[in-house]
Amino acid sequence: MDDDDSYFNMVMEKAKGEEFEYSELSTVFPSFHGEEEFTQLVESIKTEGLLEPIVIWQGKIVDGRHRHLACKEARVQPEYTYLPDDWSFDKVKNRVVALNVLRRHLTTGQRALVAAALATMTVGGDRKSDQRENSPDDKSNKQAGDQLNVSDHSVKTAKNIKKDTPDLAEKVNRGEMSLHAADTERRK
């Protein structure tokens, strides 16, 4: 066994003990669409290392699920940042949104879909109902829109598209269709 195999086996053994579930928050932003984007991330991590640590809260990945998978593929030990478990769901959600808005180049439609998801997101499986301290059941469309720099009208439109025509919502999510075009198609 050569040094590369030893290192890989050591990394994989360590990673086995670091299996994390993905929080609902980690799935709010668009996924990669196609193998090419993921392959580029893997290659970047191989050559440059992991530039942005994976964020963990209450034992789940809240930001960095693609980086987590790419590190495993690249045979690179992931780096983690642990948020305090006693942080409120809203505080963690705000941090995840801030990290992703800065890092990603999203269309208006993609941002509206994310805001729609945030506006309807409850603490559901991530928090116990008695830990919700001052968190309303739904974040308002306006608050979510403001956070993602879209209007509350765009958030409502995105919600309607997701509800009535999920296939069109997926096209908007992939950046293949504008929110306006999807709404026009939905209304036909």
Side-chain angles (χ1 to χ4, degrees), residues 40-51:
Q40 289 173 349
L41 179 59
V42 170
E43 291 305 314
S44 171
I45 288 173
K46 281 181 182 177
T47 58
E48 304 298 325
L50 180 62
L51 301 177

Side-chain angles (χ1 to χ4, degrees), residues 35 62 128:
E35 195 174 312
V62 293
K128 295 178 185 156

Side-chain angles (χ1 to χ4, degrees), residues 31-42:
S31 291
F32 288 152
H33 299 288
E35 195 174 312
E36 186 177 331
E37 280 182 278
F38 182 73
T39 301
Q40 289 173 349
L41 179 59
V42 170

Side-chain angles (χ1 to χ4, degrees), residues 13-32:
E13 281 304 310
K14 190 167 184 185
K16 283 182 190 173
E18 296 174 335
E19 287 297 321
F20 295 101
E21 288 182 46
Y22 298 123
S23 164
E24 180 183 17
L25 287 172
S26 74
T27 64
V28 171
F29 284 87
S31 291
F32 288 152

